[in-house]
Amino acid sequence: MELASGTKLGQFEVVSPLGKGGMGEVYLARDSRLSREVALKILPEALASNADRVARFEREARVLASLNHPHIAAVHGLEQADGVRFLVLELVPGPTLGDRLASGALEVREALQLARQIAEGLEEAHAKGVIHRDLKPANIKITPEGRVKVLDFGLAKALDESSDASPDDSPTVARAVESAGVILGTAGYMSPEQARGQIVDKRSDIWAFGCVLYEMLVGQRLFSGPSATDTLAAVLTVDPDWSRLPARTPPGVRSLLRRCLQKEKSSRVHDISDARIEIEDALREESSGVTPVTPAPSSRPRRQLFSHAVALVIGALVGAGVVLLVRSPAPSPGTAAVLNINLPGEGRLLEQLSGVVPVALSRDVKRLAYVGRRADGRTQIFLRRMDRLNPEPVPGTEDAEMPFLSPDGEWLGFASEGKLKKVLLSGGQPVVITEAPDPRGASWGDDGTILLAPNNAGGLFRVRATGGDLEPATQIDRARSEDGHRWPRLLPGGKAALFSVQPLSGRESQRKIDALNLVTGERKTLIEGGSYPVYASGLLFYGRGGQILAVPFDPERLEVQGEPEPVLDDVRMDTKNTGLVHLDVSPEGTAVYVAGFPKPRERSLVFMDRAGRQTPVTSTNRPFFSPVISPDGRRIAVVIEGSEEVLWVMDLESETMNRLTFDVNVSVASWSADGRSIFYAGNADGPRSVYKIAADGSGKAELVFSKTEWWINDFSVRPDGSGILMAVQDVHGHDLMFLPTGKTEVEPFLVAPSEERGPAFSPDGRYVVYASDESNRFEIYLRPFPGPGPKRQISNNGGVTPSWSRDGREIFYWEPSRVGRLNRVSFEPGPDPKVGKPQTLFEVPLLMIDRLTLTPDGQRFAMVQPPPEEETPLSMVAIPGFLEETKARLSARRR
């Protein structure tokens, strides 16, 4: 239907046509009632004549009208006049992004600034359950002020019709949008699942976002063809040509594009907020003058780098799990051996049980040490002799972590029970070397000296392998916002070392790799934005964003020579917390790494009753963790994992989500007694601190307490509002400190050589339960507050994360063993409190263990249910000849 200038539709007078596409004709119009210019989108006649479709469209239009964001073009309403149905839309001046791209690629910074705004708009829509389904440059306007406005949000689903427009500009819309077998979207920007007619979710928008960002940087469409069919075929079969990205594209943005454009949506970025944060980090680094290292791209996937044929496949069932060994009878350079060793839950379960889990390869490549899980659920260090099929458990290393080997490969060093130990691999009992309360790496030198990080914060120390006192090797520099020195590697000769510098913020982009002259004590920064250095025969390797990068390195001058290049993709590493990378490279050239860069998994938020029966809290799955029910039971504060951990509040009646935090990694939250405020522990550019924010999102967050030397991991707000009891961590471990309201100085509540964690006030504020490892395993204890008074042990077989019922008559806690047991203990307050015997309510997989939170009636617990695929074992990959081929590639790049 074409409308002439001057045509009146109720209060609207058509001025001129604006455009035509698969979604309908658009006109500039004047709203006489409100004296404003608007855009009218005339709906297709086929829709307007179908009562059922009109009714469904009206429902969809109401949802679209609820979107209110500066980067989303507003839907003012759905109107009908003179037999014409039309949408009234915000009139957005300026060209479309498609118009801008007609003259070529954008500058990298401009592209990222626009992409950030697009991501912000998508983030708002996704939070309200709206998926665009047809994101493309033609649906993105750029105002004269440079502000992005995304058009046609959700209209592809709302219109639900067929179209004959061009394959590049027209969506193909079929009948049953919510069912599999339907194609809906624009061919060149459709995700593979859309192209196959499968069910779509917000990850389809993330794919389209990747296509748009790529096009802004390159200046040409990522997927195109002479027809819609050819274009869809390219979407399903053609891999992006990463070599076309500009040289100045930040490494984090390159990695983001790869993750947005994964053809399997389960491997794709799960939340657009992750993309927004990655782009913000890249823009922030550029603004601060930090020039990111830009790797020269390869036109083929990194996993195909080592392409020699594998000749032999052997399977064996062993104590540490099912192991698949793939190797060549006569290994040649580039032959990859894959060891599928049982590291359950993509490391998540393993990390809960054993902390950090690096792999350690002997210099002669005859032995490989790693942490595995036994049949009884406990972890232990296993040793694989590379000339044998089955790994062997190392006696005395039960529940140990952080294996490392002596230069001759005869001794195994490890961390256990707050100490650094060693054991002779030919037989013998473990020997204590020194204290190491919370270690972050150790390296054994040729002279019998070990360089280690005995704590997760603070500097490095040296100690003789035979034992003795720790000698300081480095000191952290608070002026440079340093929190700790980690993952040391002694260089050949033992006179210098490499190590990671952990920033107070914990952000990967702010991590550094420094070189240390052990003779003079001087150190200098080699790498910005990387972690976990590994040196081998003239090359420095390190991890960043799931990639291993390599750069030539002079160990005498302690200088890098050239620019780093990515050499491995999809490597397991902890980019959020520790900076650990699961990699080792021997001097003779073999590399061993654990595959599978961890990505946030979407999880279900569920209620669990006392019998262990589940009911869903919401139909939406996201990377939820640490849910906390409000005092009135109507809302849940929950952290959602991404590039940052963000605090949201869910209204249980409407299932709407309200984001509360920005630019802070949130670890745990707690409601005020009146439900008006939420306290949370988080960190931005400094140590983890306690903040307070209005639960309705009004106003800004208020810093409650921060101390540079402390890392606050958990806390409990006293119900009367008189203060907060915090589990604070320093170089000596965790202690419990009380912060009175309105004060800046804390009062010690429990300071001991043991670790105290997870405090929880009783509803009347007179008692505190907490977990302590004073008996060499964590148990739950009860103390009166503020004291004095005796302590009482509550648990009898291990316990973590205690909590109270709302009436204060019950204490709940998790008992971790092979499964997680939720235990209940009755409690009667009084001069001589009575504590009952623990009773198990139900069992769940260990992956579900989290802070406990109850509904007001005390009958249900809010919990997070991970998907089954988190139990998938990881792969450990060995690559002989890795150094030789890496050096050849780096040399070819320089030429």
Side-chain angles (χ1 to χ4, degrees):
M1 173 184 297
E2 294 186 2
L3 300 178
S5 177
T7 300
K8 290 189 177 181
L9 298 174
Q11 70 195 59
F12 304 98
E13 181 178 350
V14 173
V15 177
S16 62
L18 288 176
K20 181 179 180 180
M23 294 297 182
E25 299 167 345
V26 185
Y27 294 87
L28 169 64
R30 179 74 178 170
D31 183 344
S32 60
R33 183 178 301 169
L34 298 177
S35 298
R36 64 179 178 181
E37 290 186 331
V38 295
L40 302 185
K41 185 178 287 288
I42 308 301
L43 303 185
E45 295 181 16
L47 184 151
S49 62
N50 187 314
D52 291 339
R53 293 179 67 191
V54 167
R56 192 172 72 83
F57 182 84
E58 288 177 341
R59 293 195 298 271
E60 296 291 344
R62 284 194 293 272
V63 175
L64 303 181
S66 71
L67 297 179
N68 182 16
H69 192 272
H71 298 310
I72 298 177
V75 176
H76 296 316
L78 175 65
E79 303 286 344
Q80 181 176 8
D82 299 326
V84 178
R85 283 192 176 270
F86 54 94
L87 280 168
V88 183
L89 307 173
E90 175 187 0
L91 180 64
V92 182
T96 68
L97 179 58
D99 296 331
R100 289 285 303 275
L101 292 173
S103 56
L106 306 180
E107 289 293 328
V108 171
R109 182 169 182 80
E110 182 185 9
L112 295 182
Q113 289 172 332
L114 296 178
R116 177 184 60 189
Q117 297 178 63
I118 297 168
E120 289 173 353
L122 287 172
E123 188 174 358
E124 170 70 12
H126 290 176
K128 294 189 175 180
V130 178
I131 304 169
H132 195 293
R133 287 177 167 82
D134 194 30
L135 184 69
K136 57 187 177 183
N139 278 338
I140 299 167
K141 281 263 198 172
I142 304 172
T143 69
E145 297 78 26
R147 173 175 290 181
V148 160
K149 288 279 190 177
V150 183
L151 314 177
D152 286 354
F153 249 106
L155 290 188
K157 176 182 178 181
L159 286 168
D160 188 15
E161 62 156 359
S162 298
S163 174
D164 298 322
S166 72
D168 283 326
D169 296 323
S170 173
T172 302
V173 189
R175 182 173 46 84
V177 179
E178 300 303 316
S179 304
V182 176
I183 296 177
L184 181 65
T186 297
Y189 305 90
M190 288 170 56
S191 64
E193 58 270 22
Q194 282 177 289
R196 296 187 182 102
Q198 297 171 341
I199 294 174
V200 303
D201 58 23
K202 63 185 180 182
R203 288 170 291 185
S204 293
D205 281 355
I206 291 171
W207 169 278
F209 174 81
C211 292
V212 171
L213 177 53
Y214 182 97
E215 187 172 338
M216 285 194 289
L217 293 169
V218 173
Q220 293 183 357
R221 289 191 177 105
L222 178 54
F223 301 106
S224 62
S227 69
T229 301
D230 295 317
T231 302
L232 292 179
V235 168
L236 293 172
T237 61
V238 175
D239 290 325
D241 184 354
W242 304 115
S243 66
R244 301 181 65 190
L245 290 172
R248 291 191 63 254
T249 306
V253 175
R254 291 176 182 272
S255 177
L256 170 65
L257 280 168
R258 290 177 181 273
R259 290 183 285 134
C260 287
L261 294 169
Q262 293 290 322
K263 294 190 187 297
E264 291 297 328
K265 67 178 181 180
S266 61
S267 300
R268 204 175 300 155
V269 171
H270 282 224
D271 199 299
I272 193 63
S273 62
D274 296 346
R276 173 187 57 79
I277 292 166
E278 188 67 59
I279 291 169
E280 287 175 348
D281 284 346
L283 288 168
R284 189 181 299 116
E285 288 174 357
E286 184 177 1
S287 298
S288 65
V290 177
T291 303
V293 176
T294 304
S298 170
S299 60
R300 57 179 177 169
R302 305 290 175 198
R303 302 294 288 274
Q304 297 177 7
L305 172 61
F306 303 96
S307 57
H308 295 341
V310 174
L312 182 64
V313 179
I314 304 174
L317 186 64
V318 298
V322 177
V323 176
L324 174 65
L325 170 62
V326 183
R327 66 180 181 183
S328 166
S332 58
T335 302
V338 181
L339 313 176
N340 278 339
I341 299 174
N342 187 20
L343 306 181
E346 287 210 344
R348 188 172 299 276
L349 176 58
L350 192 57
E351 287 162 6
Q352 286 183 355
L353 291 173
S354 61
V356 296
V357 196
V359 296
L361 186 63
S362 65
R363 293 185 181 182
D364 59 7
V365 203
K366 291 183 178 180
R367 292 172 171 173
L368 173 68
Y370 62 92
V371 178
R373 186 177 63 172
R374 308 187 316 191
D376 63 1
R378 294 183 69 184
T379 58
Q380 187 166 4
I381 296 178
F382 286 81
L383 185 73
R384 172 178 286 280
R385 301 178 191 271
M386 301 302 278
D387 59 349
R388 301 181 187 177
L389 180 61
N390 293 343
E392 305 164 356
V394 179
T397 63
E398 293 81 1
D399 300 323
E401 60 187 19
M402 206 181 75
F404 62 103
L405 293 162
S406 62
D408 59 9
E410 298 300 320
W411 288 87
L412 171 71
F414 60 94
S416 176
E417 300 175 329
K419 296 175 175 59
L420 194 71
K421 302 179 181 181
K422 66 178 181 179
V423 64
L424 192 62
L425 291 175
S426 59
Q429 293 298 313
V431 178
V432 173
I433 300 174
T434 188
E435 298 291 321
D438 195 6
R440 291 293 185 269
S443 180
W444 196 321
D446 294 319
D447 62 354
T449 298
I450 294 174
L451 183 65
L452 77 149
N455 292 286
N456 75 330
L460 302 176
F461 292 80
R462 285 188 285 187
V463 66
R464 299 294 302 177
T466 53
D469 295 332
L470 290 172
E471 300 177 5
T474 67
Q475 291 185 341
I476 60 172
D477 186 349
R478 289 297 187 194
R480 299 173 62 190
S481 297
E482 294 181 357
D483 184 49
H485 297 162
R486 301 179 173 183
W487 314 121
R489 286 278 179 150
L490 285 163
L491 293 172
K495 295 181 180 180
L498 306 173
F499 63 93
S500 296
V501 178
Q502 179 78 357
L504 282 169
S505 68
R507 295 176 186 271
E508 183 187 33
S509 61
Q510 296 175 355
R511 292 192 182 116
K512 301 175 183 177
I513 292 175
D514 278 15
L516 170 68
N517 186 319
L518 288 165
V519 177
T520 65
E522 296 178 356
R523 66 181 175 104
K524 60 181 178 180
T525 297
L526 304 176
I527 301 292
E528 303 269 1
S531 182
Y532 203 83
V534 176
Y535 173 78
S537 302
L539 290 181
L540 167 60
F541 300 90
Y542 64 94
R544 180 173 61 203
Q547 288 186 324
I548 300 299
L549 293 93
V551 63
F553 176 72
D554 186 334
E556 298 296 328
R557 297 184 178 181
L558 301 182
E559 294 178 351
V560 296
Q561 300 172 330
E563 293 192 348
E565 303 278 358
V567 293
L568 287 173
D569 271 341
D570 197 32
V571 177
R572 187 155 193 84
M573 56 187 70
D574 181 3
T575 59
K576 294 179 180 296
N577 300 307
T578 66
L580 167 69
V581 179
H582 299 261
L583 167 80
D584 204 1
V585 184
S586 73
E588 61 78 48
T590 296
V592 173
Y593 71 94
V594 178
F597 180 58
K599 305 173 181 66
R601 294 279 190 175
E602 297 207 346
R603 309 177 190 105
S604 304
L605 196 57
V606 300
F607 282 127
M608 191 87 78
D609 68 15
R610 291 183 176 233
R613 293 183 292 262
Q614 290 186 23
T615 55
V617 173
T618 173
S619 58
T620 302
N621 292 345
R622 301 185 73 175
F624 296 118
F625 70 93
S626 292
V628 190
I629 301 173
S630 64
D632 61 8
R634 293 179 167 182
R635 295 163 293 170
I636 290 182
V638 63
V639 181
I640 297 181
E641 184 181 7
S643 296
E644 291 179 342
E645 282 66 55
V646 178
L647 180 63
W648 296 72
V649 171
M650 174 185 291
D651 184 288
L652 294 179
E653 182 176 348
S654 64
E655 290 191 20
T656 56
M657 301 280 291
N658 184 24
R659 178 172 177 167
L660 294 189
T661 63
F662 297 84
D663 300 325
V664 174
N665 286 306
V666 178
S667 60
V668 66
S670 181
W671 291 83
S672 61
D674 60 10
R676 295 180 179 179
S677 303
I678 297 177
F679 295 82
Y680 62 91
N683 69 295
D685 293 324
R688 186 176 294 165
S689 309
V690 176
Y691 299 83
K692 178 183 177 181
I693 193 169
D696 62 4
S698 61
K700 295 182 178 180
E702 170 192 347
L703 178 64
V704 177
F705 180 79
S706 181
K707 187 173 181 179
T708 303
E709 296 81 8
W710 286 353
W711 192 260
I712 300 170
N713 287 322
D714 209 346
F715 65 91
S716 179
V717 181
R718 201 174 189 199
D720 63 1
S722 61
I724 302 173
L725 187 62
M726 302 176 293
V728 303
Q729 182 182 17
D730 61 12
V731 296
H732 304 294
H734 287 79
D735 295 307
L736 301 184
M737 302 286 183
F738 182 70
L739 176 70
T741 299
K743 300 291 183 65
T744 58
E745 296 294 326
V746 299
E747 301 171 357
F749 174 69
L750 182 54
V751 178
S754 54
E755 295 278 304
E756 281 71 43
R757 302 182 182 179
F761 276 113
S762 60
D764 60 9
R766 296 172 54 195
Y767 299 93
V768 171
V769 286
Y770 61 95
S772 173
D773 68 350
E774 63 180 66
S775 65
N776 290 326
R777 75 174 177 187
F778 278 101
E779 299 282 3
I780 305 301
Y781 296 88
L782 170 80
R783 284 179 182 263
F785 186 88
K791 69 178 179 183
R792 299 280 297 272
Q793 183 170 330
I794 301 297
S795 59
N796 57 17
N797 194 33
V800 294
T801 61
S803 184
W804 294 82
S805 63
R806 298 293 175 102
D807 62 6
R809 297 286 175 170
E810 295 174 291
I811 299 169
F812 303 92
Y813 67 90
W814 288 111
E815 177 190 316
S817 55
R818 293 191 65 184
V819 295
R821 293 189 177 93
L822 182 60
N823 289 346
R824 168 196 175 276
V825 175
S826 62
F827 177 75
E828 294 183 17
D832 183 22
K834 294 181 173 55
V835 178
K837 182 179 179 180
Q839 300 175 331
T840 298
L841 296 181
F842 55 80
E843 296 181 348
V844 296
L846 280 171
L847 290 169
M848 292 183 67
I849 286 186
D850 204 343
R851 292 182 77 213
L852 288 165
T853 177
L854 286 82
T855 53
D857 61 6
Q859 298 304 306
R860 296 190 299 171
F861 303 84
M863 301 173 65
V864 170
Q865 171 73 63
E869 54 262 33
E870 289 203 358
E871 298 288 351
T872 303
L874 295 175
S875 294
M876 190 177 293
V877 182
I879 309 174
F882 177 71
L883 271 177
E884 179 181 342
E885 187 158 349
T886 299
K887 288 181 178 179
R889 291 183 67 242
L890 295 180
S891 177
R893 289 282 173 79
R894 289 195 295 272
R895 292 198 299 268

